[in-house]
């Protein structure tokens, strides 16, 4: 074979990734797609590219140099399993199969185990950045064995986005680690987008500013500590005018948010791990609420607050509120990222991955949807304290939260008083105050649990496990710990 890397699945993502690979010095790319017309189209549209088209899996395998390496970019789920089954038949021990689709990490763990039996390496790699990222440089989160990373590392480094001179790819950890981290990336993306949407809604409803005027606010924010791809594109979307009606595009788009499921995976996994990713969960639920028009329609008669915002704030008052909202957004964003990294930390402990959290934050600085300056601060925090249990307790973030908290509280209070839903702002603040609290009412919950289920409790003043004889004389006994 002459090709050093192959791509199976030539829809948008696969063909762009194949073109990206072919554009790098020294790469010759074997390409295969189930429906052969896509393969022919790609090759004929890009005569300059070093492609070796294959009409069958056997031809594909024959066109690859050993040890073979191939990236699968097909629809996640059954299609991925079907392609793996075919590749395993034509590949040999030592070869590498990479799944670059959006697989659920537990599927990746299962596939890695099954493929490893054949002596072939299987690498689940999260790839972020959409179509453009695939073509010009994505952020890549590969899992899999150390052995496969030796072959794969240089190839992936050559096609990844570059941030501050460093390629946005690192070997995340074994088996499903890469897809796990990609999943959490998407969860954080949901939270970030929801927080931005809440900020926009609050500004609009409190100041009456037009979407175009709010676009200017976001463009301004993008020059400061909030600088990020998502803030940048928010300004672009808000500025867009609908050609047909002349209205702001945001006002003609149906207000029902779609989802492909990776946000829900992040939350489901967090529930299993017992990690409170409340900001991410609110973002996922906010999309769910939006997509139930039949429920929203019948809720029109629900009473709102007496002090619904009457007159819009103007001039300095409006400016002051916008600054408060900016701070609330920044603080809530810190919480969302902190919760996401908490989930990665917990996942690593659960699945026995050794994940460098600082390296994860660095490969998100370019190519992916949540790329932002801010990620450098996260990298700094983990450089100073690699075992930091809660990201937001790093000095830099403590300072930022301290600076923002008054504004954050005012904004959440305003939203509640005015009847404007701001679930991600509110739950992020509640999480922050939960972490801060010296005592939590969890003590009462433990008492309730002991009352109805004899679930026992621990005491603050001595070791042991205790139970009060609630239905007897209500004396306390020391319980045998059955856990
Ligand atoms: P799609 O997710 O739309 O999948 C289409 C591809 O899957 C085609 O090449 C199709 O072949 C192939 N395929 C199917 Br469907 N069933 C197959 C089977 N049984 N055997 C062989 N091939 C089969 O493509 P995409 O939007 O390019 O996404 C590819 C992957 O990348 C997905 O896992 C996606 O989640 C992930 N991803 C997408 C984005 C994005 O922005 N779109 C971003 C990041 C990751 P055919 O041509 O013969 O039907």
């Amino acid at each position: 074979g002459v090709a050093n890397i192959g791509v199976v699945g030539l829809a948008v993502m696969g063909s762009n990734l194949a073109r990206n690979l072919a554009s790098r010095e020294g790469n010759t790319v074997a390409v295969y797609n189930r429906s052969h017309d896509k393969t022919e189209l790609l090759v004929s549209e890009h005569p300059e590219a070093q492609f070796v088209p294959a009409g069958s899996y056997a031809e594909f395998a024959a066109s690859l140099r050993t040890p073979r390496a191939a990236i699968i970019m097909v629809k996640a789920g059954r299609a991925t399993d079907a392609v793996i089954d075919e590749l395993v038949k034509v590949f040999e021990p030592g070869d590498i199969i990479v799944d670059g689709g959006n697989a659920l990490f537990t599927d990746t763990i299962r596939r890695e185990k099954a493929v490893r039996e054949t002596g072939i390496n299987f690498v689940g790699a999260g790839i972020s950045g959409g179509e453009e990222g695939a073509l010009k440089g994505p952020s890549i989160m590969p899992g899999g064995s150390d052995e496969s990373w030796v072959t794969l590392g240089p190839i992936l480094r050559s096609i990844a986005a570059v941030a501050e001179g460093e390629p946005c790819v690192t070997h995340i950890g074994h088996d499903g680690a890469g897809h796990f981290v990609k999943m959490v990336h998407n969860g954080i993306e949901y939270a970030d987008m929801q927080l931005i949407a809440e900020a926009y809604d609050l500004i609009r409803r409190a100041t009456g500013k037009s979407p175009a005027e709010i676009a200017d606010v976001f463009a301004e924010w993008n020059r400061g500590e909030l600088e990020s791809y998502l803030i940048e594109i928010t300004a672009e979307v808000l500025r867009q005018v609908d050609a047909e009606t002349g209205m702001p595009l945001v006002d003609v788009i149906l207000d029902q948010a779609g989802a492909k499921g990776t946000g829900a995976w992040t939350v489901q996994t967090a529930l299993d791990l017992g990690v409170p990713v409340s900001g991410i969960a609110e973002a996922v639920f906010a999309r769910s609420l939006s997509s139930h028009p039949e429920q929203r329609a019948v809720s029109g008669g629900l009473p709102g607050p007496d002090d619904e915002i009457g007159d819009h704030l103007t001039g300095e008052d409006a400016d002051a509120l916008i600054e408060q909202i900016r701070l609330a957004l920044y603080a809530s964003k810190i919480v969302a990222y902190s919760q996401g990294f908490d989930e990665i930390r917990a996942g690593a402990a659960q699945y026995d991955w050794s994940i460098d959290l600082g390296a994860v934050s660095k490969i998100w600085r370019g190519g992916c949807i949540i790329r932002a300056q801010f990620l450098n601060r996260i990298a700094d925090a983990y450089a100073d304290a690699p075992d930091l249990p809660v990201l937001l307790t790093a000095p830099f973030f403590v300072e930022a939260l301290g600076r923002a908290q008054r504004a954050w509280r005012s904004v959440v209070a305003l939203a509640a008083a005015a009847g404007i839903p701001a679930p991600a702002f509110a739950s992020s603040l509640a999480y922050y105050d939960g972490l801060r609290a010296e005592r939590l009412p969890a003590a009462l919950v433990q008492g309730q649990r002991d009352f109805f289920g004899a679930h026992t409790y621990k005491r603050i003043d001595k070791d042991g496990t205790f139970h009060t004889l609630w239905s007897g004389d209500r004396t306390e006994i020391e319980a045998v710990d059955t856990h």
Side-chain angles (χ1 to χ4, degrees), residues 377-388 394-396:
R377 305 288 78 79
I378 298 180
D380 293 344
Y382 284 120
D384 287 346
D387 297 320
L388 193 65
F396 178 86

Short mmCIF file of all heavy atoms in Angstrom, two decimals, residues 377-388 394-396:
data_model
loop_
_atom_site.label_atom_id
_atom_site.label_comp_id
_atom_site.label_asym_id
_atom_site.label_seq_id
_atom_site.Cartn_x
_atom_site.Cartn_y
_atom_site.Cartn_z
N ARG A 377 -6.49 30.35 31.44
CA ARG A 377 -6.57 30.51 32.90
C ARG A 377 -6.77 29.15 33.57
O ARG A 377 -6.27 28.88 34.65
CB ARG A 377 -7.70 31.47 33.28
CG ARG A 377 -7.66 32.85 32.61
CD ARG A 377 -6.53 33.73 33.16
NE ARG A 377 -5.21 33.39 32.61
CZ ARG A 377 -4.77 33.76 31.41
NH1 ARG A 377 -5.53 34.47 30.60
NH2 ARG A 377 -3.56 33.41 30.99
N ILE A 378 -7.54 28.29 32.89
CA ILE A 378 -7.77 26.95 33.44
C ILE A 378 -6.47 26.16 33.40
O ILE A 378 -6.09 25.48 34.37
CB ILE A 378 -8.90 26.23 32.67
CG1 ILE A 378 -10.20 27.02 32.83
CG2 ILE A 378 -9.06 24.79 33.15
CD1 ILE A 378 -11.40 26.42 32.10
N ALA A 379 -5.76 26.28 32.29
CA ALA A 379 -4.47 25.61 32.17
C ALA A 379 -3.52 26.08 33.27
O ALA A 379 -2.83 25.28 33.91
CB ALA A 379 -3.86 25.86 30.79
N ASP A 380 -3.50 27.40 33.52
CA ASP A 380 -2.65 27.95 34.59
C ASP A 380 -3.03 27.36 35.94
O ASP A 380 -2.16 27.01 36.75
CB ASP A 380 -2.82 29.49 34.69
CG ASP A 380 -2.28 30.20 33.46
OD1 ASP A 380 -1.53 29.57 32.69
OD2 ASP A 380 -2.65 31.38 33.26
N ALA A 381 -4.34 27.27 36.18
CA ALA A 381 -4.82 26.77 37.48
C ALA A 381 -4.33 25.34 37.71
O ALA A 381 -3.85 25.00 38.80
CB ALA A 381 -6.34 26.83 37.54
N TYR A 382 -4.42 24.50 36.68
CA TYR A 382 -3.98 23.11 36.84
C TYR A 382 -2.46 22.99 36.82
O TYR A 382 -1.91 22.04 37.39
CB TYR A 382 -4.62 22.22 35.77
CG TYR A 382 -6.08 21.92 36.08
CD1 TYR A 382 -7.09 22.29 35.21
CD2 TYR A 382 -6.44 21.28 37.28
CE1 TYR A 382 -8.43 22.04 35.50
CE2 TYR A 382 -7.78 21.03 37.58
CZ TYR A 382 -8.77 21.41 36.68
OH TYR A 382 -10.08 21.16 36.97
N ALA A 383 -1.78 23.95 36.20
CA ALA A 383 -0.31 23.94 36.25
C ALA A 383 0.15 24.20 37.69
O ALA A 383 1.07 23.57 38.19
CB ALA A 383 0.25 24.98 35.30
N ASP A 384 -0.56 25.12 38.36
CA ASP A 384 -0.21 25.45 39.75
C ASP A 384 -0.60 24.33 40.70
O ASP A 384 0.07 24.09 41.70
CB ASP A 384 -0.94 26.73 40.20
CG ASP A 384 -0.33 27.96 39.55
OD1 ASP A 384 0.78 27.84 39.00
OD2 ASP A 384 -0.98 29.03 39.58
N ALA A 385 -1.73 23.69 40.43
CA ALA A 385 -2.26 22.67 41.35
C ALA A 385 -2.92 21.56 40.54
O ALA A 385 -4.13 21.57 40.32
CB ALA A 385 -3.27 23.30 42.31
N PRO A 386 -2.12 20.57 40.07
CA PRO A 386 -2.66 19.52 39.20
C PRO A 386 -3.81 18.74 39.83
O PRO A 386 -4.66 18.22 39.12
CB PRO A 386 -1.46 18.61 38.95
CG PRO A 386 -0.26 19.44 39.26
CD PRO A 386 -0.68 20.41 40.30
N ASP A 387 -3.85 18.65 41.16
CA ASP A 387 -4.89 17.86 41.81
C ASP A 387 -6.02 18.71 42.38
O ASP A 387 -6.80 18.26 43.23
CB ASP A 387 -4.29 17.00 42.92
CG ASP A 387 -3.30 15.99 42.36
OD1 ASP A 387 -3.60 15.43 41.28
OD2 ASP A 387 -2.23 15.79 42.97
N LEU A 388 -6.10 19.93 41.92
CA LEU A 388 -7.14 20.85 42.37
C LEU A 388 -8.50 20.15 42.35
O LEU A 388 -8.98 19.74 41.31
CB LEU A 388 -7.16 22.04 41.39
CG LEU A 388 -7.92 23.28 41.78
CD1 LEU A 388 -7.26 23.94 43.00
CD2 LEU A 388 -7.91 24.26 40.60
N ALA A 394 -9.42 27.85 42.41
CA ALA A 394 -8.09 28.37 42.06
C ALA A 394 -8.10 29.88 42.28
O ALA A 394 -9.11 30.54 42.00
CB ALA A 394 -7.76 28.05 40.60
N PRO A 395 -7.00 30.44 42.79
CA PRO A 395 -6.97 31.87 43.16
C PRO A 395 -7.50 32.81 42.08
O PRO A 395 -8.26 33.73 42.38
CB PRO A 395 -5.48 32.13 43.43
CG PRO A 395 -4.93 30.79 43.82
CD PRO A 395 -5.72 29.77 43.07
N PHE A 396 -7.15 32.56 40.83
CA PHE A 396 -7.60 33.45 39.76
C PHE A 396 -9.13 33.50 39.69
O PHE A 396 -9.73 34.56 39.51
CB PHE A 396 -7.03 32.97 38.41
CG PHE A 396 -7.49 33.80 37.25
CD1 PHE A 396 -6.81 34.96 36.91
CD2 PHE A 396 -8.62 33.45 36.52
CE1 PHE A 396 -7.25 35.74 35.84
CE2 PHE A 396 -9.06 34.22 35.46
CZ PHE A 396 -8.37 35.38 35.12
#
